[in-house]
Amino acid sequence: MTIRSRRETVIFRHPFQIRGIARILPAGTYEVVTDEETIDGLTFAAYRRIATMITVPAEGARGTMEVLSIGSVDLANAQAADASIVNE
């Protein structure tokens, strides 16, 4: 089984929260890494998501970062919530 990693940058324009992370994260640019593994036995290349991780500022430690495991649906929900906030 082969594993591949896909990196993307996501931008939150407002402070946000993702289910599974017990604090509110500041607005900003975040790196998200999604690991996928091949599904063997098919006649075409197909992949299954096995992990999604986001790099965030570490709690309490100024200038350090930590990588947290999140659900891809939870990330999509947080992005949708951020996009739906009307600037005042």
Side-chain angles (χ1 to χ4, degrees), residues 21-73:
I21 300 176
R23 65 184 188 269
I24 295 177
L25 299 168
T29 302
Y30 291 83
E31 181 180 50
V32 174
V33 177
T34 302
D35 289 340
E36 301 169 318
E37 66 183 2
T38 56
I39 300 173
D40 293 332
L42 301 176
T43 58
F44 55 91
Y47 294 85
R48 166 183 31 244
R49 182 178 308 123
I50 56 174
T52 302
M53 297 153 288
I54 188 168
T55 303
V56 301
E59 190 172 25
R62 188 173 216 101
T64 60
M65 304 297 280
E66 62 182 324
V67 177
L68 301 174
S69 181
I70 58 171
S72 59
V73 172

